[in-house]
Amino acid sequence: MPTLWHNCHLATMAQGGYSLIEDGALLTEDGLILWVGPRAEAPAQPGLHQVDLQGRWVTPGLIDCHTHLVYGGNRSAEFEQRLEGVSYAQIAAAGGGIANTVNATRAASEDELFSSARRRLACLLREGVTTVEIKSGYGLDLPSERKMLRVIRRLGAELPVTVKATCLAAHAVPVEYKNDAQGYIDFVCDRLLPALAQEGLVDAVDAFCEYLAFSPAQVEQVFRVAAGLGLPVKLHAEQLSSLGGASLAARYRALSADHLEFMTEADVAAMAAAGTVAVLLPGAFYFLRETRLPPMQALFDQGVAIAISSDSNPGTSPALSLRLMMNMACTLFRLTPEQALAGVTLNAAKALGLGASHGSLEAGKVADFVAWAIDRPADLAYWLGADLDKRIIRQGAESTFSQERI
Ligand code: DI6
Ligand code: FE
């Protein structure tokens, strides 16, 4: 049955900005948006189901386009160490860091991984997230990467959220390949990626291009295999050093390059030309107490689409709030609240290859939206902490998930 959602204001995000419609309405049917516009022009149909949104502000459902939500254990002990002066790189060199989480993830059963990830994901969903990307990358062998990707698929099947699964097997060198990063990359390219892609567990391929992870040449090898498998690529690039990863990603028409604090002007130009989205991760910047900012002015000037994401992971961004990331993108990276909202809607959808179906309130797109009891859209980036009063509509139906305890 078609439904008319009315008595609301809309931030449609259709053109990348708020694209406001005051006193607007939305018509939905079969999970899709049929029409959006001013209430006075709403199509009149006999028997139309009507929902009064009581003056709320409606935005697209939020999209967290870069997370590592599935993992065993956590790293709060390393947080304490870092505050005592030990660096992230030192902890990693001593066998902690990502390797710590790899051990805990390998030891966990699929059910254990599912239930801990479900609890974390629920925090995002209660906040209005309707689409999320989740990466593997804490398994680093075939059975453990498969286990993570199966958990990611199961989260999408059992929770009211659209989930994209990214294979990040090229995240770190596992102990089996100590001092043989190239041997591990060969294994990922020859065996692991083809097997997991063939099992239908992979929507995109990511890698960590960094001096303490993989070189641009090794990443390129992974990208070539991904292309051969028909999978889009993304890249963790220029987080801690400048290796030209963002330009490499652009060359392979990556959906996104992520982090980017150390990117150069040439990287910005390459991404702009390729239409690769810049995914900024203020949570990791903050949690690692980084000081080098991404080249914001160059990104703005060259018109690179900017997405904002939580990077939710146990080591560098134990973030369970996308709205907090919006605030931090404004305070730390100088985005406007409008740009921050675009960063978790339209541009985040593009970073997942979902630009045609998600991320804005437009006819033909999936009817994922949130009706917020706020004064104006900037409130979403303004309030720190706490939960805002809201109604969450996913695929045209109101979700009651936010009331469930898990
Ligand atoms: N960059 C990050 O910030 C995370 N992975 C990556 O490639 C960190 C992952 C971790 O420390 O567990
Ligand atoms: Fe990450």
Side-chain angles (χ1 to χ4, degrees), residues 55-355:
R56 286 163 189 260
W57 273 97
V58 178
T59 70
L62 306 187
I63 299 176
D64 196 347
C65 67
H66 177 146
T67 84
H68 312 245
L69 278 167
V70 173
Y71 55 83
N74 83 41
R75 308 231 296 275
S76 54
E78 289 183 6
F79 178 48
E80 286 189 304
Q81 270 184 296
R82 281 200 296 108
L83 289 169
E84 283 159 13
V86 190
S87 74
Y88 181 70
Q90 284 169 325
I91 290 170
I98 293 174
N100 178 345
T101 301
V102 171
N103 291 336
T105 303
R106 287 180 175 181
S109 70
E110 209 168 294
D111 282 345
E112 285 165 346
L113 288 179
F114 177 79
S115 70
S116 65
R118 184 181 195 273
R119 262 182 278 124
R120 292 187 282 265
L121 180 53
C123 297
L124 296 177
L125 301 197
R126 284 194 202 100
E127 253 200 344
V129 168
T130 51
T131 299
V132 69
E133 182 256 19
I134 309 178
K135 302 172 195 296
S136 70
Y138 290 120
L140 310 184
D141 62 26
L142 183 52
S144 308
E145 287 289 305
R146 178 186 288 122
K147 178 171 68 176
M148 290 188 73
L149 290 163
R150 285 170 51 96
V151 168
I152 294 168
R153 284 281 184 251
R154 191 172 150 201
L155 290 164
E158 296 191 20
L159 272 71
V161 58
T162 300
V163 176
K164 284 285 193 179
T166 299
C167 184
L168 178 60
H171 191 195
V173 182
V175 4
E176 297 80 6
Y177 286 87
K178 199 165 170 14
N179 302 320
D180 185 17
Q182 187 54 45
Y184 178 61
I185 288 295
D186 290 342
F187 164 74
V188 167
C189 289
D190 298 345
R191 302 259 327 274
L192 187 142
L193 274 177
L196 296 176
Q198 210 248 326
E199 291 169 35
L201 292 171
V202 183
D203 299 320
V205 173
D206 195 351
F208 191 14
C209 187
E210 197 52 71
Y211 68 91
L212 48 72
F214 298 103
S215 69
Q218 289 165 336
V219 169
E220 188 159 8
Q221 193 181 332
V222 172
F223 280 2
R224 276 207 222 97
V225 170
L229 294 167
L231 294 170
V233 296
K234 309 169 75 70
L235 190 63
H236 284 70
E238 339 297 349
Q239 180 185 7
L240 308 168
S241 62
S242 183
L243 297 182
S247 295
L248 171 64
R251 231 174 25 253
Y252 279 80
R253 303 263 150 206
L255 293 173
S256 70
D258 306 35
H259 285 290
L260 302 175
E261 283 85 345
F262 285 79
M263 82 190 301
T264 62
E265 298 261 339
D267 292 324
V268 177
M271 286 179 63
T276 295
V277 177
V279 178
L280 303 185
L281 306 167
F285 175 89
Y286 162 81
F287 199 70
L288 291 177
R289 306 174 71 186
E290 296 287 350
T291 51
R292 163 107 171 206
L293 291 168
M296 300 308 303
Q297 199 55 51
L299 289 168
F300 295 148
D301 290 348
Q302 303 244 16
V304 177
I306 297 174
I308 302 298
S309 174
S310 70
D311 194 17
S312 191
N313 79 72
T316 64
S317 187
L320 299 175
S321 166
L322 190 56
R323 270 206 322 99
L324 179 59
M325 300 302 113
M326 294 170 68
N327 175 273
M328 287 166 55
C330 296
T331 53
L332 299 174
F333 294 166
R334 296 278 180 248
L335 264 65
T336 63
E338 184 174 24
Q339 289 170 323
L341 186 57
V344 296
T345 55
L346 190 65
N347 294 341
K350 284 185 191 155
L352 297 180
L354 294 174

